[in-house]
Amino acid sequence: MKYSSEFQSVCQIDKRKWILVVVLVAVTHLFCQTLMLPYGNALHSLLSESNIQLPEKVSLSSKESSVVESTKVGESFSGTLSSFDDVHMLAHRLKTVDNGDVSEDGEIDESVNEKDEVKPHSNHSVVKTMENDSDFVEDAILENDNLFDEVVDMDEETTMQKNNESRRDLSLEQVVKTNGELSADPELDANRNSVLNDTKAASVTNSSSVVASNHLDNLPLVTIGEINFIRTTSNNSSTGDLTQLLPNHGNHSLVQSTVKKKMRCMLPPKTITSISQMERLLVRHRARSRAMRPRWSSERDKEILAARLQIENAPLLKNDRELYAPAFRNMSMFKRSYELMERILKVYVYKEGEKPIFHQPIMKGLYASEGWFMKLMEGNNKFVVKDPRKAHLFYLPFSSRMLEHSLYVRNSHNRTNLRQYLKDYSEKIAAKYRFWNRTGGADHFLAACHDWAPYETRHHMEHCIKALCNADVTLGFKIGRDVSLPETYVRSARNPLRDLGGKPPSQRKVLAFYAGNMHGYLRPILLEHWKDKDPDMEIFGPMPSGVASKMNYIQHMKSSKFCICPKGYEVNSPRVVEAIFYECVPVIISDNFVPPFFGVLNWDTFSLILAEKDIPNLKSILLSIPEKKYLDMQIAVRKVQRHFLWHAKPVKYDLFHMTLHSIWYNRVFQTKAR
């Protein structure tokens, strides 16, 4: 008995020690776990086990849509993320990725629309994105196709700021409630609910918990546009929008900001490239080609390089019976280049592609330039060859206008299918012919006048020579390689020269004239300063529809000294060519716009190119021009008019030949020897 009592006493002591050890281990474990609260691993066993998908990775491989992969968190989501560094990386990548489209200056021009669809695929959420452009017709006064659909841009004023400082610990009461709902003090809950209601975000369901910061009002906000409306879908049908996650000096919270909707076309450009800067870019790109070196040599390349040598050493011409020398940058080089084009150039036109997108030209209206060029190019026996091995250039005969008309789903605000269609076409060409792969498409060209053409041809046709009406340097227009195609409004396909000409300078009593719809942000500014402010400045808004109104519009242009050509939704405007057509000196007001045939024509001799900020001083600028200089400019307008006219049968130096020459001229200076 004595030994039994002693044994029991020893066991009781050991039991107390064991319990003490267990308690110490448990306390240590809880303490360590508490230290890990900001990283989302604390008190895992106490929380609910609902699964919430978190955006983890943005796929950059697809140019058509941003793919956001979601991963399930094994432990319950208590409002803290496994790593806020991942959130920083996600936000940064989402801010710099939208279909892979980054403008030349490195800034994103596009954003996602609220109505983009989300389709689950292999437990991943595919986020369909769109570029932030608008469906529109340049001027309803000219043609009303009812194509305008407003597309909103998400404001990007708020940005993510990375912070690797120590994170604030939260108590259990702040983390979770017993019922699994959001928990914090009532004031914080009310604040959070207000934010969520403003953004109309879906709430996180199925007993998931979210950590809310005690200092919500001090947190910076990230707009929904910055993270591309990530919509995640879990297998248990629990859905929610995870839109904004960011730390702020140790604070972190799931917050959402009020969406500020804007149209990109209603905002001034973020960067401005002046005409003098464009001049320097042209000289630099002429001296150093950016085109890829061909994969194998070709006799056609040798012919082009020989032509370049002749152009660079062209005999000096001071006067010419056919050309107006002051209107050209270098008339001697232009003349020699044009002669060599007529003698050497051969073009192969691809037969692939079905109507109406391919081989069906539009001969009337705003987008007539691409149609007229297509018709005259395909029907030309002088330049076109049937054997592609003999060609110096390859033409992709599609209509950007018909592409939009045939494939765009009205009000969908999504044009990825248009670009995908052209991507499939170019891949088909590359697979069937070896010529595309030889230069990466650098000896291929296209002519497109619809304002969406820069987007539709991006990436898969990036190395092609693009003749574009929307010649905007901020949308990827490459000076020295691409061609600024004149936007011509053709009122009569049978007689494109109808109403040509205007009154002599002595009978032009109006100093400046403008009339048109209030497209874009610039035209309202023009009217604000000059509508009904000065009798010499006939600046109007939209003119009434009808034949009489159109004739009145034409007569105003024929009777004015200067015709104001402000940008609309995009940088281009048909008024530039209209002014020349009616022998009125064009006044171009459009930042970042590359004037037509910029590589060969000297626009200073027959036009005024003003910065948008100069609108308040418009009249004083026009009055400061001496009478003699104005007369010289008006003469120059009449001299260059021939270069902006379409003819049923092409005429030397007309718009068709000037367009083809500019393509040829740029290719000559971009060609590299193998």
Side-chain angles (χ1 to χ4, degrees):
M1 292 296 295
K2 178 180 180 181
Y3 293 106
S4 178
S5 299
E6 291 178 354
F7 178 77
Q8 291 179 359
S9 177
V10 171
C11 289
Q12 289 177 358
I13 294 173
D14 290 343
K15 187 175 182 179
R16 294 190 192 100
K17 291 181 179 179
W18 172 249
I19 293 174
L20 180 61
V21 170
V22 171
V23 170
L24 288 175
V25 171
V27 170
T28 304
H29 176 73
L30 289 175
F31 177 74
C32 294
Q33 288 291 321
T34 303
L35 292 179
M36 298 178 68
L37 254 175
Y39 301 92
N41 298 322
L43 307 173
H44 162 54
S45 61
L46 298 178
L47 304 178
S48 60
E49 295 185 359
S50 61
N51 293 327
I52 296 179
Q53 291 182 326
L54 298 179
E56 182 185 48
K57 180 176 67 176
V58 178
S59 172
L60 303 181
S61 60
S62 174
K63 300 299 181 181
E64 310 312 317
S65 61
S66 300
V67 179
V68 179
E69 296 189 359
S70 302
T71 180
K72 290 187 178 180
V73 180
E75 64 274 22
S76 64
F77 181 51
S78 63
T80 57
L81 296 180
S82 61
S83 173
F84 269 91
D85 291 338
D86 294 340
V87 179
H88 279 298
M89 181 61 68
L90 171 68
H92 173 72
R93 295 178 71 182
L94 285 173
K95 190 173 182 181
T96 56
V97 175
D98 180 11
N99 288 346
D101 300 338
V102 181
S103 62
E104 193 172 29
D105 59 1
E107 296 183 358
I108 304 299
D109 293 330
E110 298 80 22
S111 68
V112 154
N113 186 272
E114 293 178 275
K115 298 181 181 179
D116 294 341
E117 298 178 0
V118 179
K119 297 182 180 179
H121 177 69
S122 301
N123 294 328
H124 300 300
S125 296
V126 179
V127 181
K128 292 187 177 182
T129 63
M130 57 160 291
E131 294 225 343
N132 119 24
D133 290 290
S134 304
D135 315 347
F136 76 97
V137 175
E138 154 60 30
D139 269 318
I141 188 176
L142 302 179
E143 177 182 48
N144 184 6
D145 290 350
N146 296 321
L147 295 176
F148 178 73
D149 297 321
E150 277 198 5
V151 177
V152 298
D153 295 345
M154 299 306 134
D155 188 39
E156 297 184 9
E157 294 175 355
T158 57
T159 57
M160 296 289 291
Q161 296 180 350
K162 190 165 184 178
N163 185 352
N164 291 323
E165 300 177 1
S166 62
R167 294 156 173 84
R168 179 174 62 86
D169 293 346
L170 300 178
S171 64
L172 176 61
E173 289 76 16
Q174 290 173 302
V175 175
V176 65
K177 286 182 180 179
T178 56
N179 61 4
E181 297 177 355
L182 289 175
S183 60
D185 54 52
E187 181 180 356
L188 190 145
D189 277 341
N191 199 342
R192 171 196 168 274
N193 291 334
S194 176
V195 175
L196 293 181
N197 289 335
D198 287 343
T199 56
K200 298 181 181 180
S203 61
V204 180
T205 60
N206 289 344
S207 68
S208 60
S209 301
V210 179
V211 171
S213 169
N214 283 329
H215 303 285
L216 183 62
D217 293 337
N218 296 327
L219 288 175
L221 302 179
V222 177
T223 63
I224 291 177
E226 286 180 305
I227 63 174
N228 288 348
F229 286 92
I230 304 171
R231 300 184 180 182
T232 59
T233 305
S234 61
N235 289 336
N236 61 2
S237 300
S238 175
T239 63
D241 286 7
L242 184 63
T243 54
Q244 291 150 353
L245 296 162
L246 58 136
N248 180 31
H249 302 290
N251 297 333
H252 50 275
S253 174
L254 180 63
V255 294
Q256 297 179 328
S257 68
T258 302
V259 179
K260 298 181 180 179
K261 301 180 179 181
K262 296 181 181 179
M263 295 177 64
R264 182 187 60 81
C265 60
M266 299 304 295
L267 295 172
K270 296 178 181 179
T271 59
I272 298 176
T273 304
S274 65
I275 290 295
S276 59
Q277 290 174 315
M278 294 180 187
E279 302 274 359
R280 290 193 292 270
L281 285 173
L282 179 63
V283 172
R284 183 163 71 245
H285 295 165
R286 284 276 185 266
R288 185 176 60 184
S289 171
R290 295 180 295 173
M292 68 170 283
R293 197 174 301 278
R295 294 181 178 176
W296 62 85
S297 60
S298 168
E299 289 298 322
R300 308 289 84 80
D301 287 345
K302 295 178 181 179
E303 293 173 357
I304 291 178
L305 292 171
R308 175 176 177 175
L309 188 62
Q310 294 186 53
I311 294 170
E312 292 175 332
N313 296 279
L316 184 63
L317 296 175
K318 293 184 178 181
N319 295 304
D320 188 86
R321 294 181 179 180
E322 296 180 297
L323 300 173
Y324 183 65
F328 290 86
R329 295 182 178 277
N330 189 317
M331 189 188 67
S332 301
M333 292 180 64
F334 172 81
K335 183 89 172 179
R336 186 59 176 152
S337 175
Y338 191 93
E339 292 171 351
L340 291 171
M341 178 192 74
E342 289 186 310
R343 179 154 49 96
I344 296 175
L345 179 61
K346 299 301 177 186
V347 177
Y348 180 76
V349 181
Y350 284 109
K351 301 298 188 289
E352 286 72 16
E354 298 180 356
K355 294 181 179 180
I357 297 174
F358 295 87
H359 313 291
Q360 183 168 312
I362 298 174
M363 309 300 290
K364 183 180 178 181
L366 279 173
Y367 311 109
S369 289
E370 65 180 24
W372 276 85
F373 182 84
M374 181 191 298
K375 178 184 178 181
L376 298 178
M377 186 77 259
E378 290 191 316
N380 194 288
N381 295 323
K382 181 177 182 179
F383 295 109
V384 175
V385 292
K386 296 182 179 180
D387 186 354
R389 294 171 297 180
K390 298 179 180 179
H392 302 89
L393 290 169
F394 300 82
Y395 176 43
L396 307 171
F398 78 93
S399 166
S400 60
R401 174 64 177 92
M402 292 308 300
L403 178 68
E404 175 267 333
H405 180 74
S406 302
L407 299 183
Y408 177 67
V409 179
R410 184 173 175 82
N411 296 322
S412 68
H413 308 307
N414 193 326
R415 294 169 291 147
T416 55
N417 61 322
L418 280 66
R419 185 165 63 178
Q420 183 64 42
Y421 188 88
L422 290 184
K423 182 177 183 291
D424 294 341
Y425 169 76
S426 62
E427 290 175 348
K428 178 180 179 181
I429 293 295
K432 185 174 182 180
Y433 300 90
R434 63 191 182 109
F435 309 104
W436 178 285
N437 296 324
R438 190 181 79 89
T439 63
D443 52 0
H444 289 58
F445 70 92
L446 57 94
C449 204
H450 196 278
D451 290 322
W452 293 352
Y455 165 80
E456 296 163 351
T457 59
R458 193 172 297 173
H459 302 306
H460 49 278
M461 294 182 177
E462 190 59 31
H463 301 295
C464 297
I465 301 173
K466 304 175 185 179
L468 303 172
C469 290
N470 190 6
D472 187 342
V473 293
T474 65
L475 293 183
F477 184 91
K478 302 297 189 301
I479 297 175
R481 185 201 67 186
D482 296 335
V483 175
S484 180
L485 179 65
E487 183 177 11
T488 57
Y489 182 79
V490 177
R491 289 182 167 82
S492 173
R494 294 184 178 181
N495 182 17
L497 303 183
R498 189 177 67 186
D499 300 322
L500 179 66
K503 296 181 179 179
S506 59
Q507 298 180 23
R508 293 178 177 264
K509 304 301 182 181
V510 178
L511 177 63
F513 166 72
Y514 167 79
N517 286 348
M518 294 297 97
H519 294 165
Y521 65 89
L522 189 66
R523 296 180 183 180
I525 297 175
L526 176 66
L527 265 65
E528 179 184 355
H529 283 88
W530 296 109
K531 186 177 185 298
D532 300 327
K533 299 294 177 63
D534 194 303
D536 294 331
M537 306 286 287
E538 295 196 354
I539 308 298
F540 308 109
M543 300 186 74
S545 60
V547 177
S549 177
K550 290 182 179 180
M551 291 306 299
N552 188 33
Y553 175 85
I554 293 173
Q555 290 304 317
H556 269 85
M557 278 201 153
K558 289 175 174 285
S559 305
S560 301
K561 292 183 178 180
F562 297 96
C563 289
I564 312 301
C565 308
K567 64 177 292 185
Y569 290 122
E570 302 296 342
V571 294
N572 49 302
S573 170
R575 284 176 181 77
V576 177
V577 176
E578 275 188 325
I580 297 173
F581 194 87
Y582 299 124
E583 299 176 1
C584 178
V585 176
V587 180
I588 302 174
I589 309 177
S590 178
D591 292 341
N592 298 317
F593 176 54
V594 182
F597 307 140
F598 183 70
V600 295
L601 292 182
N602 179 14
W603 280 78
D604 288 340
T605 60
F606 57 91
S607 73
L608 286 177
I609 300 178
L610 303 181
E612 295 174 8
K613 63 181 178 62
D614 291 331
I615 285 181
N617 304 318
L618 183 56
K619 183 178 181 180
S620 60
I621 293 174
L622 298 181
L623 291 177
S624 67
I625 299 175
E627 183 68 17
K628 185 179 184 308
K629 182 178 180 180
Y630 165 74
L631 293 175
D632 291 340
M633 295 175 72
Q634 216 275 332
I635 291 173
V637 167
R638 297 202 303 270
K639 293 289 186 179
V640 301
Q641 188 184 70
R642 62 186 300 187
H643 305 311
F644 294 90
L645 303 179
W646 293 111
H647 299 273
K649 293 183 179 180
V651 177
K652 191 173 184 178
Y653 299 125
D654 68 353
L655 186 45
F656 168 75
H657 284 101
M658 288 294 291
T659 302
L660 184 61
H661 172 268
S662 292
I663 295 169
W664 148 266
Y665 197 67
N666 286 357
R667 178 57 186 161
V668 165
F669 285 94
Q670 291 288 305
T671 301
K672 289 184 177 179
R674 174 63 184 171

